[in-house]
Amino acid sequence: MAEVLTDLDSLAVAVLEVDENVKDYLDVAVILEVIGVTRETAKRYGYKDIFNLAEAVFKAIRHYQLRGETAGTRKKTRIDSIIEALRLFAGGMTLGFPWVIILLVYIIFKVSWLPISETPLVSTSVNLALVASIISTSWISPLFMRKLFYFMYQKMYSAVRKILVAYFISGFFITLLIAILLVMFTNTLGIYPDWWITYFTIFFIALSLLWLTTAPLYALRLHIPLILTYLCSLLIIGISYTVMRSIPQKFMAHIYGTIGGSAIVIIYLTVYLYLRSRFKPESYGDVKIRLPFTLYLGMPYSIVNLLYFIFIFTDRFLVWYRGSPYLFLVDFLYETPASLSLLIITVPFGVMNYYIQRFYRYLSGERSEFNSFQIDEYRESIKKIYLKMQTVIFLSGFSFWVILFFLIRNQIGDVTIFTYLSIGHIFLISIISNILVFFCMHRPVMPLLPMLLGTLLNFTLGAILIKMYGVKYVASMSYMVSSIIMAIFLITMVIETIIKKIDYYYYSAF
Amino acid sequence: MLCEGTYPFYRGGVSTWTHNLILNLKDYDFFVLSVTPAPFLRRRYDLPPNVKGILDIPLWGTEFAKEHMREFKFRDFLSRNLSTDERKIRKEFAPSLRMFLDEIKHGCRDPRRLAEAICEMHVFLTKHDHRRTVRSETFWNVMREELFNDRLYGYTKLSYMIDFSRILSHILRLLSYEYPYADLSHSSVTAFCGLPGIILKIERDTPYLITEHGVYFRERILDLPSKSSIIERMLLINLYRAIVQVNYYYADKVLPVCRFNINWERELGVSEEKIEVIYNGINIERFKPLKTNAKDNLKRIVVMARIDKLKGIMNLIEAMAKVSKHHHEAICEIYGPISDEAYFKTCQRKIKSLNLEDKVLFMGPTDKPELAYNRAYVVVQPSLSEGFPFTVIEAMACGKPVIATDVGGVSEAIDSFGVIVPPRSSIALAEGIMKVLENEEYAEEIGGKARRYVLERFTYKEFLENYRRVYLEVLSEKIWREIIEWQRS
C-alpha cells in the first residue's frame, strides 16, 4: 500500500481513512506502520525515521481536522422512536400482566386461578394464604437477585446456577419454617377449625413456591416465560376442573395448577441456563459464591420489598380484621372493587417503563451532549425528564381510570372503594418509579425510611379512622392518603438528593 | 512475575513466554500476580512447581475488591468498611488522588510524583475499603475538580468523563491488595500490572524488570475507539502514557523481545543503557520437522493466530481468493481461538462472498501447534501488529517457509530466511504465497535455512541464559547498594 502513496497529503488521507481522530504524531506513527509504511519508506520520503515522517503527516492532518470534517451518524427517524416507545410501553405493561391475565381468563373462560367460595371462612383461608405467601417470600428473592443479575450480566452461568440453587433451597426451607410457625400460631389462637388450617397451609406453601420460582423471571426480565407460566398454570386448573367432580378435588386443582406453574419455571430456568452455558462456553473456572457478601448486598433491597408488600396489603388486613370470633374474615363487598381496581396499574406501568428507560438513557449520556463544564444543565435536563415521567404517570393513570370506570362500571360494586384504591394505585406506580430510581443508583437504603413511615401511616391512620368511622371506606381511604403522602415524600427526596447530584449518584451506581 | 490479561488465564504469545520462563528457570521460585478483567477465570496452564503462589486481581466482575478470595473474611471487610468515612478519605486519600490525576492528565510530567501518589493511595487502600473510597463524594469531587473543570478536558462529553472515572476507580482496585515479598519483580508488559513492581521498588527497593513484547503504548493507541473525540482520546492516551512512563522510569532494565520495540522505547524516553534486547526462545525438541498423517495432495497454508482484527485475517482471506484461482490444491487452515466474535462473523461472510468455504477453514485452537506447522506447506503470519511472534520462529524451527507481514520484530525473526510482505496488502501477501507455492525447491531451501537460523539464535538455552544473567545483575546491584548503605551507616 505504501508504494502508491507518493506525498504527505495522500499519507494523511490514508491515515484519516483508518482513524479520523488521530491526536498526535505517535497516533500517526502507529497507523503509518499498520498501513505498511516502514522505516525504509520514511527514508525514501526524506525523513530520518517513521516518527519524523509521522510529525510531518500529522501537520497535514491538522489541516483536515481544522476544516471540521467528521463522520456522520444515522439519526433516529420518528418511526424508529415510535416503535421503540411502543415496545417499552408494552414491556412495562407486562409487569402487571399476571394479574390482568388471571382476571381476563376468568372473565372469558370462567377459569379462576384461586378457588371461589361463597363461604367467607373458606375464602379467608385462601386469600390470607395468598397475602401471607406474598409477604413472607417478598424479602427472600431480593437477597439473592442483585447478585444473580450481576452474574448473569457477566455471563457467569455456573455462578447463576449456584445462586439459584442457594436461593431455591433457602427459600424452600424458610417457607416451610414460616408455614410451621403460622400453623402453630393459628393452633394457639384456637379460633379456626382444623380444615381451615389445612387449606391455609397447603395454599400458603404452594403459593409461596410459585412466588419463589417466578421471582428470578421478574429479576431477569423474562416477561414472556412469566406470562406463559401463568397461562400454563390456568390451563392445568381448567383441565383438572373438567376431570374432577367433587369440591375437595376441585380445590386441589388449584394446588396442581400452582405447583405446576412452579415446576414449569424450574424446568424453564434449568433449560435456559443449560442452553446458555452449553452453546456459549464460559471462560470461568469454579466460581465461588460468598454468601455473606451476597446477603450483605441484598439486605436493603430485601427490606424495601418487604415494606412495599406490607404497605399494599395493609388495607386488606384492616378490612378483614374482625377480632372475634375469627381474627380475619374476608369481606366480599370489598374484594370485587379491590380486584378490579388492579386493572388501573397496566397503563401507568407501561408509561413508567417507557420513561424510566428514557431516564436511564439520558443518564448514560446516550441522548445528551453536555460537556463536563455543563453539569448544572445536565442536572436540570434530568430533572425535567424525571418530572415529565411523574406527570405522565399521573395523567395516564387518571385518564385510564375514567375509561376503565365507564367500561366496567356495572361490575365494580362499590364505586367509592374502587375510586380510592385506583387513586392509591396510581400513586403507587409513582412510588415504584421512585424506588426504581433509587435502585438504579444502587442506593436501596435511601427509600427505607419513607417506606417505613408510609407503611406505619397507612396502618395507624386506618386503625384510628376505623374506630371513629367504621370499616367500610376507611382502609381504602387510608391506603390512598398514605400512597399520596409517600409518593410526594419520595418525589421530593429524589429531586432534593439524587437529582441535585445526579452526576455523582450515577457515577457511583456501578 | 507481573502479568496483565495473560498468564495463566489466557493463551497467547506473552503467556507462552511467561510459562516457558517460569518452567525452565527451575532454580528460581515465582509468585504470579495476574491482573485480570474478571475473577474465577479458568487456568489455561498447569502451574509449574516453582510457582509458589498466585494472586489474581480482577478489576471487574465482583462488587468488592478481594471478594473472590477465600482468605478474605467478611468480618475484615466489615471492619474496613466501617473504618472508611468521608473525613478520612478527604484527609488521607484525596491529596494523593489529586496528585495522581494531575500527573495522569498531563501524561506524566514527573514520574517520581506520580509514583509517590500511587504509593500513598496503595497505603490507604490496603487499610480501607476500596469500594467505599471510590464511591465517596470526596472521590467524585476530586475527579471533577481535576478533570471535569480542566480547561481542556472539560470539553469532553460528561458521559465519557463518568465512564472514565468508573474505569479509573476499577483500576485503583489493583492498589488495594497487599503484594507478597519478592527479591525481584518482573513485569511481562509495561502496563497497570507494573504498578505493584513500582510500589515494591519504592517501598522495599525490590529490583524491577520489564519485558516488552509488543509496545504497550503503541498497542493501546491502536485499540482506541476511533469514534471518540480528540480530547477523549488525549485523556486515554495520557493515562496510558503516564503509566508507561512511570513503569519505564522505575524499571532497572527494559527488555524488549526485538529491536523494533527499541525505537518506540527511545521515543518514550527510556535511556539506552536500560534497554537490552532478549529474543524469545523456543523448545527445539518440540518444534522440529515431523511426519504427519496428511496424505492428500493438498498444499496447506497454515496460520496460527487468534481471530482478531490485529491479526489481519481479512487480508489473508482476500489473498486466498487470488491464490486459489491459480492453485486449486491450496487450502488455508487457521488455528486459533476466536477473540473477536463480530470480526469472526465478518470473516465468515467474506469467505462466503468469495466462495472460499472449502479453501479457508477455521480449525479452532490447538494444543499441538507443532503438528499443525508440520502439516503445512507454507506458514503465513498476516498480522497488523506484532512483538516478536512465537508462531514465526516455531514454524521456522519446523523447517517450514514462512510468509509474514513486516510488523514489529517479524523481520528480525525471519531475516532473509522467509518472505516478508507489507501489512494490509492482500496482493503482496498473495504474491508471497504463490511465490513459495510455485517453487518447491525455493520452499525447501528457505525452510531448511530458517530452521538452522532458529537453532543458532532463538533457542531456550540462549533465552534462559540471558534472563539468568539479567536477574543476577540486578540482584547483585541491589546487594551492592545495600552494602554501600550499610558501610555509610
Side-chain angles (χ1 to χ4, degrees), chain B residues 306-322:
Chain B
R306 62 176 198 275
I307 315 301
D308 191 285
K309 278 188 210 88
L310 280 181
K311 297 295 172 186
I313 306 293
M314 284 292 266
N315 274 333
L316 172 81
I317 295 167
E318 282 170 11
M320 273 309 292
K322 294 176 186 82

Side-chain angles (χ1 to χ4, degrees), chain A residues 23-42:
Chain A
K23 73 118 190 116
D24 70 4
Y25 79 100
L26 290 172
D27 250 6
V28 177
V30 173
I31 296 169
L32 288 178
E33 277 175 8
V34 299
I35 64 174
V37 176
T38 58
R39 201 181 317 154
E40 284 64 40
T41 323

Side-chain angles (χ1 to χ4, degrees), chain B residues 47-65:
Chain B
L47 294 181
N50 55 336
V51 173
K52 298 301 173 192
I54 177 160
L55 171 65
D56 62 316
I57 303 182
L59 298 184
W60 278 267
T62 55
E63 298 213 31
F64 307 101

Side-chain angles (χ1 to χ4, degrees), chain B residues 162-328:
Chain B
I162 292 175
D163 288 344
F164 181 82
S165 308
R166 277 193 199 131
I167 292 172
L168 208 61
S169 72
H170 276 267
I171 289 170
L172 291 182
R173 273 189 183 197
L174 181 56
L175 303 181
S176 62
Y177 289 77
E178 276 125 17
Y179 314 124
Y181 173 83
D183 292 312
L184 169 79
S185 46
H186 186 174
S187 179
S188 59
V189 60
T190 320
F192 295 99
C193 69
L195 299 186
I198 296 165
I199 292 167
L200 291 175
K201 169 93 180 173
I202 293 170
E203 288 179 353
R204 303 177 204 165
D205 195 25
T206 308
Y208 176 45
L209 299 176
I210 300 171
T211 289
E212 197 150 50
H213 295 262
V215 179
Y216 180 75
F217 182 65
R218 177 180 176 274
E219 288 180 348
R220 292 290 67 77
I221 292 177
L222 272 176
D223 270 355
L224 286 177
S226 59
K227 275 185 189 165
S228 49
S229 74
I230 291 176
I231 305 174
E232 288 165 5
R233 291 165 64 89
M234 197 174 271
L235 181 58
L236 266 186
I237 287 182
N238 277 343
L239 167 70
Y240 293 131
R241 189 202 290 263
I243 296 302
V244 167
Q245 301 271 36
V246 75
N247 265 292
Y248 284 148
Y249 185 83
Y250 282 95
D252 291 83
K253 276 209 174 268
V254 177
L255 310 166
V257 295
C258 56
R259 299 202 63 76
F260 169 82
N261 292 357
I262 296 178
N263 301 329
W264 279 88
E265 284 152 2
R266 263 196 227 124
E267 195 66 22
L268 292 166
V270 187
S271 57
E272 287 286 346
E273 62 269 23
K274 266 191 183 181
I275 303 174
E276 181 182 337
V277 176
I278 299 184
Y279 288 112
N280 290 338
I282 54 158
N283 184 351
I284 49 168
E285 293 305 315
R286 184 179 175 197
F287 295 98
K288 60 185 178 186
L290 297 168
K291 281 193 176 167
T292 60
N293 54 3
K295 288 187 178 107
D296 45 37
N297 293 324
L298 295 171
K299 285 187 174 173
R300 286 186 174 76
I301 299 158
V302 166
V303 178
M304 192 70 66
R306 62 176 198 275
I307 315 301
D308 191 285
K309 278 188 210 88
L310 280 181
K311 297 295 172 186
I313 306 293
M314 284 292 266
N315 274 333
L316 172 81
I317 295 167
E318 282 170 11
M320 273 309 292
K322 294 176 186 82
V323 171
S324 59
K325 275 184 196 159
H326 302 95
H327 296 274
H328 301 294

Side-chain angles (χ1 to χ4, degrees), chain B residues 370-426:
Chain B
E370 64 277 18
L371 296 182
Y373 293 130
N374 276 289
R375 279 163 66 84
Y377 183 85
V378 55
V379 175
V380 172
Q381 191 279 109
S383 287
L384 306 181
S385 175
E386 282 292 347
F388 189 79
F390 276 103
T391 52
V392 169
I393 50 174
E394 284 168 358
M396 288 166 76
C398 292
K400 296 294 168 183
V402 176
I403 296 152
T405 48
D406 188 8
V407 289
V410 172
S411 58
E412 290 167 60
I414 291 183
D415 200 4
S416 56
F417 312 109
V419 180
I420 296 174
V421 296
R424 280 188 189 255
S425 169
S426 55

Side-chain angles (χ1 to χ4, degrees), chain A residues 202-314:
Chain A
I202 292 173
F203 270 96
F204 174 79
I205 292 173
L207 290 167
S208 297
L209 292 181
L210 186 69
W211 309 137
L212 284 172
T213 49
T214 49
L217 298 185
Y218 280 104
L220 300 173
R221 294 175 191 183
L222 298 166
H223 296 308
I224 292 172
L226 188 67
I227 291 166
L228 287 176
T229 304
Y230 283 97
L231 284 177
C232 290
S233 186
L234 287 163
L235 188 70
I236 295 170
I237 296 168
I239 293 169
S240 306
Y241 252 70
T242 56
V243 181
M244 293 166 174
R245 293 279 173 261
S246 69
I247 288 175
Q249 271 185 334
K250 285 190 173 180
F251 231 78
M252 286 311 287
H254 296 277
I255 300 293
Y256 299 147
T258 314
I259 292 186
S262 306
I264 286 163
V265 179
I266 290 176
I267 293 166
Y268 174 81
L269 283 174
T270 311
V271 173
Y272 176 80
L273 287 174
Y274 171 76
L275 290 180
R276 291 230 154 187
S277 53
R278 176 80 180 80
F279 294 108
K280 288 189 176 170
E282 45 185 293
S283 48
Y284 302 102
D286 185 22
V287 179
K288 308 236 168 6
I289 307 292
R290 306 285 303 269
L291 218 54
F293 287 98
T294 306
L295 301 181
Y296 174 81
L297 268 177
M299 192 81 80
Y301 293 94
S302 166
I303 300 170
V304 170
N305 224 32
L306 179 67
L307 286 173
Y308 168 78
F309 281 105
I310 292 176
F311 176 79
I312 61 172
F313 286 119
T314 302

Side-chain angles (χ1 to χ4, degrees), chain A residues 133-202:
Chain A
S133 65
I134 291 175
I135 292 175
S136 71
T137 53
S138 63
W139 61 276
I140 305 171
S141 62
L143 283 176
F144 296 86
M145 288 310 132
R146 182 173 164 84
K147 212 59 177 165
L148 176 109
F149 195 70
Y150 194 73
F151 283 132
M152 197 71 180
Y153 185 73
Q154 301 281 341
K155 295 182 179 166
M156 291 179 171
Y157 301 118
S158 56
V160 174
R161 268 199 299 270
K162 281 184 186 175
I163 290 268
L164 273 181
V165 169
Y167 161 67
F168 283 139
I169 291 174
S170 48
F172 180 73
F173 282 108
I174 291 169
T175 299
L176 278 187
L177 186 70
I178 294 173
I180 292 166
L181 290 174
L182 284 172
V183 169
M184 283 165 65
F185 176 67
T186 40
N187 269 328
T188 317
L189 289 175
I191 48 178
Y192 291 108
D194 286 350
W195 64 263
W196 189 97
I197 297 172
T198 313
Y199 272 12
F200 172 79
T201 313
I202 292 173

Side-chain angles (χ1 to χ4, degrees), chain A residues 19 21 25 27 33-34 147 283-285 288 290 370 372 442-443 501 503-504 506-508, chain B residues 40 42 67 69-70 72 131 134-135 137 139-140 154 156 158 166 218 221 226 228 233 267 424:
Chain A
D19 186 348
N21 283 327
Y25 79 100
D27 250 6
E33 277 175 8
V34 299
K147 212 59 177 165
S283 48
Y284 302 102
K288 308 236 168 6
R290 306 285 303 269
F370 299 107
S372 305
H442 191 28
R443 294 296 194 288
K501 290 179 184 173
D503 44 307
Y504 161 64
Y506 179 58
Y507 150 76
S508 55
Chain B
F40 311 118
R42 204 184 296 277
E67 185 191 328
M69 294 166 74
R70 202 187 284 267
F72 187 56
R131 188 165 180 267
V134 298
R135 286 185 90 206
E137 272 198 78
F139 185 92
W140 181 243
T156 51
L158 184 62
R166 277 193 199 131
R218 177 180 176 274
I221 292 177
S226 59
S228 49
R233 291 165 64 89
E267 195 66 22
R424 280 188 189 255

